[in-house]
Amino acid sequence: QVSLVESGGGLVQAGGSLRLSCAASGRTFSGYVMGWFRQAPGKEREFVAAIRWNSGRTYYADSVKGRFSISRDNAKNTVYLQMNSLKPEDTAVYYCAAGVMVAADIPLSPKYDYWGQGTQVTVSS
């Protein structure tokens, strides 16, 4: 049974940093894309960042480029999202997801097969 478990969310002041973790288990994720999405109240879920498990190639939404960094630890089967220079508009529930897809589909949430339960990130001004 596949499981993605996020952790690391919390309350931080604007300009601060947080590191989210996504512990993956239940299958091998070789060949998978591991993504982070977020959803703010009243808004649609949006793509944040993704990484190809094998190659380590990364992808970012324009809104987080230069501030967020995604990485993975193969030995720990864990994906990280380092978030720096946080802004109030980054406030959302952050979800980890996994799927197999071509690059053009990476920002599309329906392309992901597995999802975590989410972790709340709140940035105060």
Side-chain angles (χ1 to χ4, degrees):
Q1 183 176 351
V2 174
S3 174
L4 302 177
V5 179
E6 303 97 334
S7 61
L11 173 64
V12 64
Q13 288 188 332
S17 299
L18 282 175
R19 188 177 80 157
L20 304 184
S21 299
C22 172
S25 62
R27 66 160 297 134
T28 177
F29 289 92
S30 175
Y32 271 67
V33 172
M34 305 298 293
W36 285 97
F37 288 76
R38 65 187 182 187
Q39 188 166 18
K43 295 188 176 181
E44 292 188 355
R45 190 168 298 189
E46 66 172 357
F47 170 74
V48 176
I51 186 168
R52 287 197 178 276
W53 195 272
N54 288 3
S55 67
R57 182 170 181 175
T58 58
Y59 307 82
Y60 295 95
D62 288 343
S63 59
V64 306
K65 277 181 184 176
R67 299 189 299 123
F68 291 12
S69 177
I70 188 171
S71 62
R72 86 250 190 264
D73 184 327
N74 289 354
K76 295 183 178 180
N77 242 29
T78 299
V79 177
Y80 302 99
L81 184 68
Q82 178 67 43
M83 305 186 295
N84 299 326
S85 302
L86 282 161
K87 305 175 182 179
E89 50 263 46
D90 294 318
T91 295
V93 177
Y94 283 70
Y95 297 90
C96 177
V100 178
M101 68 204 73
V102 297
D105 290 341
I106 285 174
L108 306 177
S109 59
K111 297 297 184 180
Y112 291 77
D113 300 313
Y114 306 108
W115 290 84
Q117 82 289 348
T119 185
Q120 176 70 47
V121 171
T122 303
V123 184
S124 63
S125 57

